Amino acid sequence: MGFENLLLGFQVALTPYNLFIAVVGITLGTVIGVLPGLGGANGVAILLPLTFSMEPTSAIILLTSLYWGALFGGAITSILFNIPGEPWSVATTFDGYPMARRGEGGQALTAAFTSSFVGALFSVVLITLFAPILAEIALKFGPPEFFAIQLLTFSSFIGLGGGNPLKSLVAILLGFILASVGLDIVTGALRLTFGFTDLMKGFDFIIAVIGLFGIGEILLTMEEGLAFRGARVRINPKVVWQTWKILPRYTRTFVRSAFIGFWMGFKPGGATPASFMSYAFAKRFSKHPERFGKGEIEGVVAPETAAHAAGGAALLPMITLGIPGSPTAAVMLGGLIIWGLQPGPMLFKERPDFVWGLIASMYTGNIIGVIMVLAFVPLFAAILRVPFGILTPLIVSICAIGAYSVHSSMLDIWYMLIFGVIGYVFKKLDYPLAPLVLALVLGDLAENALRQSLIMSQGSLLIFVASPISGVITGAALLFFAMPLVTAYRRRLRRPSVSTTVE
């Protein structure tokens, strides 16, 4: 049945219209990935209003293709300009830019794009194998299980996010507060509107994402006075072929990085830490660790493979459980709701053409993407030779058009600017944006599941540990919440012993 479903998916993805949509998405996504002022999540959010009149399968193919393109595009600026187009491209700059300065930009880009293809392909194959199994398990979920899953999602950011857990918690709580503005979903009472009728409808997550990621990043970039000066590069078939002959030497790095990326992408917030972790492992197990940071091709292979495997894996919990694994997946989740589709396991039963068309489009989009970026790198890189003073107002205008098109309201542009300031402040104070966006998207769903569960149990919290599935998931969530406290307590215990040793 799985093979038959995949064939159905390819019949959907390989129609001329959907192939055209994929090419358009890859092109726009690569441009978005190249420009540091934008990003995958923001690009998807800007284009989401344009998909409202499209058939849902074509719409999701456009958005996922844009996602793949943004993943590919981030490597171009990292290698040629030493400017990460995306957060997960930072590790690629360590060895990619020194290679470009040495005149090996073609080899670095070929290695990066090939690694991206391998990482994404590995991730999509695992999604094809495990998505139906996860969906079957998730069909047994009720409100307590869904709330436990959502609790686990947010606790993962705190326990496994890698940043400051207190800052992640603050971001999540702020997201919940923003999500609760407007009409109460059960009683119909007004919440946090403070007498303003415009707040009755709450904050649209699309406008929030455009402001947080797009405007916030632009404000930060303007403050830094970013200028684009980079190495020129040419990619020809000879360079590509010579690089491909070298890459099989790093088979272990490919496999290790793909597994790291998939695991880190399946849990929330994974692509950026996956790229750094994979780079660190590659350096640790390399026979020549001293070459890293000076233009080692393995230092490009590892982070790019992991980042793309993580990017694909983030979509797995979205389509099977209705839980996004990244900010971009969160925006796509909002798109499913807007298109009238119920995210989660029922999608496999009700709309197999949609789910398997999406999975098949990941294969085709990945192939189209690697061919396009290899063929048109100089063209994409030329975008960054446009003066930043021209690019900045252009990007802001695109963001404003995207925000206005959601409800055709000027008020939404003001909301976008306010969220842009919030995004700027968050970046300056090193607060994570991903937990805030996920809380804003999942706030209503989590509240629904919580209220339904408490109604079922007549107010007893024991319902969340009553069934084996919800009990295990809730226990894991509480464990992740406690991990930062346990870690801090251990560090506190070690300090006296260290000072005694010094004395």
Side-chain angles (χ1 to χ4, degrees), residues 305-428:
T305 304
H308 280 244
L315 300 178
L316 177 58
M318 183 197 79
I319 60 176
T320 55
L321 304 173
I323 304 296
S326 70
T328 310
V331 180
M332 291 184 188
L333 176 71
L336 296 184
I337 297 169
I338 291 170
W339 301 328
L341 301 176
Q342 179 59 47
M346 290 308 295
L347 268 180
F348 285 79
K349 299 290 183 183
E350 297 170 355
R351 291 294 302 271
D353 60 320
F354 176 86
V355 174
W356 290 100
L358 166 61
I359 292 173
S361 74
M362 295 181 189
Y363 288 97
T364 58
N366 197 21
I367 294 169
I368 293 169
V370 74
I371 293 172
M372 284 185 62
V373 290
L374 281 172
F376 300 111
V377 160
L379 184 62
F380 288 123
I383 296 169
L384 289 180
R385 306 198 187 279
V386 178
F388 192 67
I390 296 175
L391 283 177
T392 301
L394 182 62
I395 294 169
V396 172
S397 300
I398 292 171
C399 291
I401 292 169
Y404 181 81
S405 63
V406 176
H407 299 122
S408 300
S409 171
M410 189 66 192
L411 183 64
D412 288 337
I413 295 180
W414 290 108
Y415 285 156
M416 177 196 74
L417 294 174
I418 292 169
F419 277 107
V421 173
I422 293 172
Y424 169 77
V425 172
F426 264 53
K427 289 174 184 291
K428 290 293 288 183

Side-chain angles (χ1 to χ4, degrees), residues 154-165 168 264 267-270 273 432 435 483-484:
F154 293 110
S155 66
S156 298
F157 273 105
I158 295 170
L160 303 175
N164 187 318
S168 297
M264 296 293 285
K267 71 184 187 65
M483 278 177 63

Side-chain angles (χ1 to χ4, degrees), residues 255-265 273-275 277-278 281 306 309-310:
V255 174
R256 182 176 59 242
S257 301
F259 273 108
I260 291 172
F262 188 85
W263 166 243
M264 296 293 285
S275 62
M277 183 183 295
S278 183
F281 270 92

Side-chain angles (χ1 to χ4, degrees), residues 62-271:
L62 175 65
L63 298 184
T64 50
S65 298
L66 188 144
Y67 187 29
W68 293 128
L71 285 166
F72 280 114
I76 297 175
T77 50
S78 298
I79 291 170
L80 299 185
F81 294 85
N82 202 29
I83 301 169
E86 298 283 356
W88 53 75
S89 299
V90 173
T92 307
T93 63
F94 299 160
D95 286 277
Y97 186 63
M99 286 184 70
R101 292 291 300 271
R102 210 164 57 205
E104 299 174 359
Q107 291 92 321
L109 287 169
T110 302
F113 298 147
T114 307
S115 304
S116 302
F117 174 80
V118 171
L121 182 64
F122 177 86
S123 186
V124 177
V125 169
L126 289 187
I127 288 175
T128 306
L129 296 175
F130 291 113
I133 300 171
L134 270 179
E136 285 294 330
I137 296 171
L139 283 172
K140 302 176 182 177
F141 283 20
E145 286 78 13
F146 275 113
F147 178 75
I149 280 284
Q150 286 154 357
L151 187 67
L152 180 65
T153 301
F154 293 110
S155 66
S156 298
F157 273 105
I158 295 170
L160 303 175
N164 187 318
L166 187 59
K167 290 182 176 180
S168 297
L169 181 61
V170 169
I172 290 170
L173 293 177
L174 180 58
F176 280 138
I177 292 170
L178 293 172
S180 66
V181 173
L183 289 172
D184 188 301
I185 55 178
V186 175
T187 65
L190 292 175
R191 300 189 298 192
L192 301 176
T193 57
F194 306 106
F196 294 99
T197 54
D198 289 321
L199 289 176
M200 287 176 60
K201 61 183 180 182
F203 298 110
D204 195 294
F205 81 97
I206 301 174
I207 294 156
V209 168
I210 292 173
L212 291 169
F213 288 95
I215 303 300
E217 187 68 34
I218 283 292
L219 291 173
L220 198 67
T221 307
M222 289 170 63
E223 181 187 25
E224 294 170 352
L226 184 62
F228 300 132
R229 299 183 186 88
R232 294 187 179 273
V233 66
R234 285 185 179 181
I235 291 186
N236 54 54
K238 183 179 178 181
V239 170
V240 173
W241 179 247
Q242 287 176 344
T243 309
W244 281 351
K245 286 198 295 186
I246 297 171
L247 291 180
R249 301 176 190 172
Y250 306 107
T251 302
R252 288 184 180 179
T253 304
F254 276 116
V255 174
R256 182 176 59 242
S257 301
F259 273 108
I260 291 172
F262 188 85
W263 166 243
M264 296 293 285
F266 185 74
K267 71 184 187 65

Side-chain angles (χ1 to χ4, degrees), residues 26-49:
I26 292 286
T27 305
L28 291 175
T30 307
V31 172
I32 286 168
V34 164
L35 294 173
L38 291 173
N42 189 46
V44 170
I46 292 171
L47 281 184
L48 189 55

